[in-house]
Amino acid sequence: MPCNRARAAIHCVATGVVRSGVIALFAAGGALSAATPTPGPTAPRAPEICDPTAPPPQAEGTRRMVERLAGLEAQAHPFAHPFLSGKAIVVLREKIAAAASPAEALPLMGRLGEALLNDGQSEAALREFEAYERVATTSGTGIAPVIRDKLLFMEALCNLRLGEQENCMTNHNADSCLLPIQGGGVHRIQRGSRAAVGLLTRLLEHDPRRFDAGWLLNIASMTLGEYPDGVPPQWRIDPKVFASEYDIGRFRDVAGPLGLDVDDLSGGVVLDDFNNDGLLDVMVSGYGFHSQLRLFRNNGDGTFTDCTAAAGLLGLTGGLNMFQADYNNDGFMDVFILRGAWLGEEGRFPNSLLRNNGDGTFTDVTEEAGLLSFHPTQAATWLDYDGDGWIDLFIGNESEGTKSVHPCELYHNNGDGTFTECATATGVAYTEFVKAVVSGDYNRDGRPDIYLSLRDGPNLLLRNDGPAPAAADAPRSRAPAWHFTNVASAAGVTEPVYSFPCWFWDYDNDGWPDILVTGYRIHDVGDVAADYLGLPSDAARPRLYHNNHDGTFADVTAAAGLNRVIHAMSGNFGDLDNDGWLDFYAGTGDPSLSTLIPNRMFRNDGAGHFQEVTTSGGFGQLQKGHGIAFGDLNNDGDQDVYSVLGGAYPGDHYPRQLFANPGHGNHWLKLKLEGVQSNRAAIGAVIKVVVQTAAGERSIYRTVGSGGSFGASPMRQEIGLGQATAVVRVEISWPRTGKTQVVSLPAMDQCYVIREGTARASEVELKRFPWPAPGTPGRPHQHVMGAAGP
């Protein structure tokens, strides 16, 4: 039994797991085979229960997790967690008061100013930096030129943040913080940006080579409505550098009118149909100790209901990232939440597995399932690595040399609601600082492989070699262990050495999965400015690896037009215009409040090149970009884009956005696959849609999964068909058997359920609704951060 499945089953009974039917099945001799998923009928729709005034009692597993999470903040060191600047402020003020001399106090005052700024107390931070100058001057300590310039920069940053708080937050609208800032994004209250312009100008007069100050000067001038002409020519960035290479049409942000603009720190998002009513729901998480996980049910009429309490989720907080899968093959999507990223030894937080109970509620079954561990992470992928029909889980943890060792984990699904950890046995217990994990069958041998993106070091491509040969003296009753081999160097996919989000995708529709991995290293925001201006920098750049069909990849980054400094923290892909070619959106930034750079959207032109469409589509949000998901929330056939925004510091929160697709007139299909021998959600299944066009037949490929490595798109595949005149056939390669199932579809622009082994597809009628009209006022958004925010 792989990873000793029998032992896990015995443990489940011995510890009294009482989920309905589990013990009885074991007592009956395993009537539910751990090797074959339950076929079952199509999962029923969950009951329409969402009464926030009468939340159901939480299960014991959920209560235990809530208690664990509630105790994390008390254990945290104020200088180890970026979202504990409030505690750091108290400590620093005490140290300043006790300082024996101005020379001892000044460094603490500088740190206090930064802590206040990070905490969202921009005016108080500004006063602290001004006090630093006074103390240094009157005490005779003096201010060195490098410190003087840093003070100018920090004071400018305080004023920029004040402008954002008084405008982009207090008077938030669909144009707020969108590059190039114009229309409703121009600040009504201009004192912050006006002061910032003066300070940045002084700094540039001292040092004209400060690209970071020049970039922020242009941004501040935009917020005043004075860009470009109001920027001195020597520091002006030509508006042409922001122009899109293709007009994709404006995608309006409709999160406010729909009540989906949760205001929180960085976090993740899952778009999927959690109650099987054909409508995509929204689940969002946040990084902070008090960031409540939230679930919004799609009502199918242009409204969403916050079902967080009714779903039994209250008290489940934190989580920088999350992904969905049907781990128990019951037809309802479950969710795995990842916590502790970036915090090293201070990030020993528990992850969470949330079981969808099929009645509108979720239960935290982390401990019951054998998944309770305490490592810093935000990276994971679901895959059926051994092809037994049950979806397994790989977690990429964050290690830092020998001082913080957190090996990666691989959990084998035992088919009984439990998992067994077997990373060491399978050769994947790597101790690296992992920032992304994705899976895909790059060599098309029928076994899913794993790609790891690392913060500092060559990336890993773990080839799934299948079961290792059994030793001659091994007991016959013991199944051979599965094994993976790192082949990244031979395959040519190790770069960039500083990287972050990544994914497998077939961007050129040749039937072979390619890899995109983004770079994540800049000196400061000036490196991004330099790249826009066509100037060199040593910043990390992405890599687009084209699959050569022989186990190797070719670096086609430059030819594809992607040799740019994007500095992405997140990203996902989809088909913006339903032309059948996959596009992608990169969420950008880093914890520094000065890294005000646009999230960036790129359109695939179908000829191997990507066109930037950031400004034409209205996607250039300057606030920090995190979880991203593509999904057709209003069932009009066009994919919309949900974007989670916000940073790590308490003052760096921002409302989430939902970009509504204006439509492009191309045909489409929605396909929901149901595995019978394969895992129920059909993760890893490869879809080939053959369509007829005026130029002849064309093939479009998709693989079932949630897309990128930060944010999760729906498992239901939404496939653009371009100007097809008919669907010739759909071919599905199922992940467990490798068999290809051929299905005929009667029409385009419809949604179908295709069940493994069933010759005919079932058409599904979907509720459609229009988006709110332009100018519709926003509903009060969910302020999560309390006193830390403006």
Side-chain angles (χ1 to χ4, degrees):
M1 291 187 179
C3 300
N4 206 341
R5 181 185 298 146
R7 182 178 61 200
I10 294 169
H11 171 77
C12 185
V13 176
T15 54
V17 176
V18 294
R19 188 179 174 198
S20 177
V22 173
I23 294 178
L25 286 171
F26 288 141
L32 174 60
S33 170
T36 305
T38 309
T42 298
R45 176 179 173 177
E48 295 291 341
I49 301 173
C50 188
D51 181 2
T53 65
Q58 290 183 323
E60 178 60 26
T62 303
R63 291 198 299 271
R64 285 200 299 269
M65 183 58 71
V66 168
E67 291 172 0
R68 288 189 189 96
L69 298 175
L72 292 177
E73 185 173 13
Q75 304 168 16
H77 190 282
F79 296 105
H81 293 262
F83 42 82
L84 283 182
S85 51
K87 287 187 175 182
I89 289 168
V90 174
V91 175
L92 287 167
R93 281 181 169 152
E94 291 173 350
K95 289 179 177 292
I96 291 170
S101 66
E104 183 182 340
L106 283 172
L108 296 169
M109 292 175 68
R111 292 177 66 187
L112 176 58
E114 292 189 35
L116 288 164
L117 179 59
N118 292 337
D119 202 50
Q121 302 182 51
S122 302
E123 289 189 280
L126 182 59
R127 290 194 298 269
E128 194 64 30
F129 289 126
E130 291 170 343
Y132 182 107
E133 291 187 80
R134 289 195 303 272
V135 171
T137 302
T138 58
S139 68
T141 304
I143 303 176
V146 65
I147 299 299
R148 176 204 60 198
D149 286 356
K150 181 174 182 180
L151 283 170
L152 280 174
F153 188 81
M154 294 305 296
E155 290 171 9
L157 192 55
C158 289
N159 281 289
L160 278 173
R161 290 295 296 169
L162 179 62
E164 292 172 355
Q165 291 166 334
E166 292 183 333
N167 294 274
C168 303
M169 298 295 297
T170 304
N171 299 308
H172 182 71
N173 62 75
D175 292 333
S176 294
C177 291
L178 288 183
L179 185 77
I181 298 170
Q182 53 194 353
V186 174
H187 290 185
R188 298 179 186 177
I189 303 173
Q190 298 194 344
R191 63 172 182 145
S193 290
R194 187 71 62 189
V197 165
L199 290 161
L200 291 166
T201 300
R202 286 175 56 193
L203 181 56
L204 285 164
E205 289 170 347
H206 293 165
D207 185 357
R209 300 167 298 176
R210 289 288 299 261
F211 281 94
D212 56 344
W215 173 267
L216 294 178
L217 176 65
N218 281 265
I219 298 296
S221 298
M222 290 180 193
T223 67
L224 297 171
E226 297 176 355
Y227 171 86
D229 295 338
V231 182
Q234 66 270 34
W235 301 317
R236 182 186 306 152
I237 297 176
D238 193 326
K240 292 179 181 178
V241 306
F242 303 126
S244 287
E245 298 158 6
Y246 177 90
D247 187 1
I248 196 68
R250 179 63 181 266
F251 285 60
R252 292 187 298 111
D253 175 14
V254 296
L258 296 176
L260 296 176
D261 56 338
V262 175
D263 178 13
D264 203 344
L265 300 178
S266 52
V269 58
V270 174
L271 298 185
D272 218 310
D273 182 3
F274 289 110
N275 60 352
N276 291 331
D277 64 354
L279 297 157
L280 296 182
D281 309 302
V282 182
M283 184 178 284
V284 291
S285 67
Y287 188 46
F289 283 120
H290 305 290
S291 297
Q292 170 64 54
L293 179 70
R294 293 184 181 274
L295 173 64
F296 296 91
R297 187 189 67 193
N298 188 337
N299 299 319
D301 59 2
T303 66
F304 288 76
T305 300
D306 187 340
C307 292
T308 304
L313 300 174
L314 289 180
L316 293 176
T317 54
L320 187 56
N321 202 2
M322 55 184 177
F323 300 97
Q324 81 278 31
D326 184 1
Y327 81 93
N328 55 1
N329 286 332
D330 67 351
F332 289 95
M333 281 295 169
D334 315 295
V335 178
F336 189 68
I337 303 172
L338 298 133
R339 300 186 177 97
W342 295 109
L343 297 175
E345 289 303 290
E346 292 286 332
R348 289 181 175 271
F349 294 177
N351 299 320
S352 280
L353 176 62
L354 303 183
R355 184 185 66 210
N356 186 335
N357 298 318
D359 60 359
T361 70
F362 290 79
T363 298
D364 192 308
V365 295
T366 313
E367 192 170 4
E368 171 187 325
L371 292 174
L372 185 63
S373 64
F374 299 87
H375 303 286
T377 182
Q378 66 172 67
T381 186
W382 293 99
L383 73 164
D384 182 4
Y385 76 86
D386 60 349
D388 65 353
W390 296 90
I391 204 74
D392 311 302
L393 177 65
F394 182 97
I395 304 174
N397 293 317
E398 297 178 354
S399 296
E400 297 182 82
T402 58
K403 67 178 182 179
S404 182
V405 179
H406 297 277
C408 293
E409 300 164 276
L410 177 60
Y411 288 95
H412 181 265
N413 191 328
N414 300 317
D416 57 12
T418 71
F419 293 77
T420 301
E421 207 286 314
C422 51
T424 299
T426 52
V428 297
Y430 287 91
T431 53
E432 306 285 352
F433 200 104
V434 180
K435 292 312 301 175
V437 178
V438 288
S439 55
D441 185 6
Y442 82 94
N443 54 3
R444 298 207 323 187
D445 64 356
R447 296 188 293 264
D449 313 294
I450 302 171
Y451 188 75
L452 279 69
S453 169
L454 309 184
R455 185 189 67 170
D456 182 10
N459 298 326
L460 310 179
L461 176 60
L462 307 182
R463 185 187 63 208
N464 188 338
D465 298 327
D473 59 348
R476 291 178 177 270
S477 60
R478 182 180 302 169
W482 227 257
H483 194 267
F484 290 78
T485 300
N486 178 24
V487 296
S489 181
V493 293
T494 58
E495 295 183 341
V497 293
Y498 287 89
S499 59
F500 205 155
C502 63
W503 52 81
F504 284 102
W505 62 339
D506 188 359
Y507 79 91
D508 60 346
N509 278 321
D510 67 351
W512 291 77
D514 312 297
I515 298 173
L516 179 68
V517 53
T518 67
Y520 195 66
R521 185 195 66 223
I522 59 173
H523 176 67
D524 56 38
V525 71
D527 285 345
V528 178
D531 191 60
Y532 269 107
L533 295 171
L535 301 174
S537 78
D538 61 357
R541 297 167 185 264
R543 298 291 189 276
L544 177 62
Y545 292 115
H546 179 263
N547 195 322
N548 294 327
H549 309 177
D550 61 1
T552 68
F553 292 77
D555 184 347
V556 297
T557 311
L562 293 177
N563 189 30
R564 316 179 190 219
V565 179
I566 299 175
H567 199 53
M569 295 187 288
S570 67
N572 215 327
F573 58 87
D575 189 351
L576 293 175
D577 51 5
N578 276 338
D579 64 354
W581 303 98
L582 291 172
D583 318 303
F584 76 94
Y585 189 36
T588 65
D590 58 40
S592 172
L593 297 179
S594 66
T595 312
L596 290 171
I597 58 178
N599 296 337
R600 299 172 73 172
M601 183 72 82
F602 293 90
R603 175 185 179 265
N604 186 340
D605 70 358
H609 190 270
F610 286 84
Q611 304 161 320
E612 179 144 9
V613 294
T614 300
T615 53
S616 68
F619 298 111
Q621 177 56 242
L622 289 168
Q623 300 298 326
K624 309 296 191 299
H626 286 87
I628 290 171
F630 286 67
D632 181 11
L633 273 80
N634 67 340
N635 283 332
D636 65 353
D638 301 295
Q639 286 192 306
D640 314 297
V641 183
Y642 193 91
S643 174
V644 175
L645 302 164
Y649 300 121
D652 199 11
H653 54 95
Y654 201 78
R656 281 78 167 110
Q657 293 184 299
L658 173 60
F659 296 104
N661 195 318
H664 298 83
N666 288 324
H667 292 292
W668 51 271
L669 281 178
K670 297 182 193 298
L671 299 180
K672 180 179 180 180
L673 305 191
E674 289 189 357
V676 177
Q677 295 186 70
S678 301
N679 70 89
R680 182 67 172 268
I683 293 173
V686 178
I687 301 170
K688 177 182 178 182
V689 180
V690 181
V691 296
Q692 189 65 46
T693 72
E697 288 190 357
R698 174 191 176 192
S699 296
I700 301 167
Y701 291 87
R702 297 291 183 269
T703 299
V704 177
S706 58
S709 59
F710 201 160
S713 299
M715 293 297 172
R716 180 180 74 187
Q717 295 301 292
E718 301 170 337
I719 306 170
L721 304 180
Q723 292 296 309
T725 57
V727 177
V728 178
R729 65 185 179 278
V730 174
E731 301 176 9
I732 300 167
S733 177
W734 294 94
R736 185 183 187 197
T737 65
K739 294 180 179 178
T740 299
Q741 179 177 340
V742 180
V743 180
S744 297
L745 301 180
M748 298 183 290
D749 305 332
Q750 299 290 337
C751 178
Y752 298 93
V753 173
I754 299 178
R755 187 171 169 78
E756 185 175 11
T758 301
R760 297 184 62 182
S762 302
E763 185 174 335
V764 179
E765 290 293 331
L766 299 178
K767 290 183 181 179
R768 305 185 185 188
F769 58 88
W771 292 120
T776 301
R779 296 164 60 185
H781 51 232
Q782 309 278 346
H783 285 283
V784 177
M785 298 312 299

